Amino acid sequence: MIRNPDQTESRGASPVSRLSEAQVSHAVDVLCEAFYDYPVMRNVIGSVGGDYDRRLHMLINFFVMARVWRGEPILGVSNGSDLVATAILTLPGKRQPPAELARLREAVWRELGQSARLRYETFGEATRKFEISQPHYHLNMIGVRHSHHGKGLARQLLDAVHAISHRDPVSLGVTLTTEDFRNVSLYRHFGYQVVGHARVDAQLETWNLFRANNSSADNG
């Protein structure tokens, strides 16, 4: 689930760093702002209004905690003491989820409801059809606060993700999905290729993309 990457150069941003567990709540806040009206969120938890904000926070917190409890990277860019951009990654290979994550998953779906769970599982099944079998990193989410759009922070995070994949001798590249067709050409600009496309329902479709470590984009 990826918002639009920013093609401009970063200006005056701090370096990308790996966030500590103490900073996780700030990453959740950034992603809630960035993905507020994203197609997957609206599909799973319904239309904006009522207790949408609380439900959105609960769902995104689950996504982020899944990375924390598996020891997977959460990257961030700060402006002073404020986190303004973040990305969460899944490492190559399968990992047994800890018991804490299983308990949180059940608590989230009890609160959001069985119909929301079924919609999310349908989305997941659509994306899994095009999974890359070779070891790779998966970019789960990347988001930038609205106040910092146009400063190249998404590009800065993407470059960091690609560098992590390059340094890992096991990884052959990076995958991601987007549910906004406008993003497809942007990710192609960064060296990604579409490996699958599926319509989940009348209101939601998804594109799976893969960027090999030897992408021509590495050479500009």
Side-chain angles (χ1 to χ4, degrees), residues 36-194:
Y36 189 80
D37 60 349
Y38 195 65
V40 175
M41 306 308 164
R42 295 201 310 269
N43 178 267
V44 173
I45 61 179
S47 301
V48 174
D51 65 347
Y52 180 89
D53 290 19
R54 181 183 65 84
R55 291 161 67 84
L56 176 70
H57 187 277
M58 182 177 296
L59 186 59
I60 289 181
N61 181 70
F62 168 63
F63 295 150
V64 174
M65 291 307 299
R67 311 280 72 79
V68 172
W69 283 332
R70 287 187 171 109
E72 295 176 325
I74 301 175
L75 306 178
V77 178
S78 297
N79 180 20
S81 61
D82 297 326
L83 185 71
V84 294
T86 190
I88 60 176
L89 302 174
T90 295
L91 296 172
K94 300 292 184 182
R95 285 170 175 74
Q96 184 65 28
E100 294 92 339
L101 181 58
R103 287 193 289 268
L104 178 60
R105 178 186 294 110
E106 293 309 310
V108 167
W109 294 124
R110 277 198 306 272
E111 181 67 23
L112 298 184
Q114 185 63 16
S115 60
R117 183 174 195 164
L118 290 174
R119 288 192 294 274
Y120 182 70
E121 289 175 351
T122 298
F123 166 71
E125 289 168 5
T127 63
R128 279 192 293 272
K129 293 177 183 177
F130 310 108
E131 286 184 346
I132 300 295
S133 59
Q134 300 96 328
H136 63 277
Y137 284 77
H138 181 69
L139 179 54
N140 302 96
M141 302 178 81
I142 181 170
V144 178
R145 286 203 181 275
H146 297 159
S147 60
H148 283 70
H149 284 183
K151 297 183 178 181
L153 302 187
R155 174 63 184 265
Q156 192 175 345
L157 284 166
L158 278 173
D159 286 346
V161 171
H162 301 156
I164 290 171
S165 180
H166 272 281
R167 289 195 299 268
D168 188 337
V170 172
S171 176
L172 297 181
V174 179
T175 62
L176 58 83
T177 72
T178 185
E179 289 64 53
D180 186 338
F181 178 68
R182 294 171 296 180
N183 292 350
V184 173
S185 62
L186 291 173
Y187 278 101
R188 283 178 169 149
H189 171 79
F190 293 119
Y192 287 84
Q193 299 296 322
V194 175

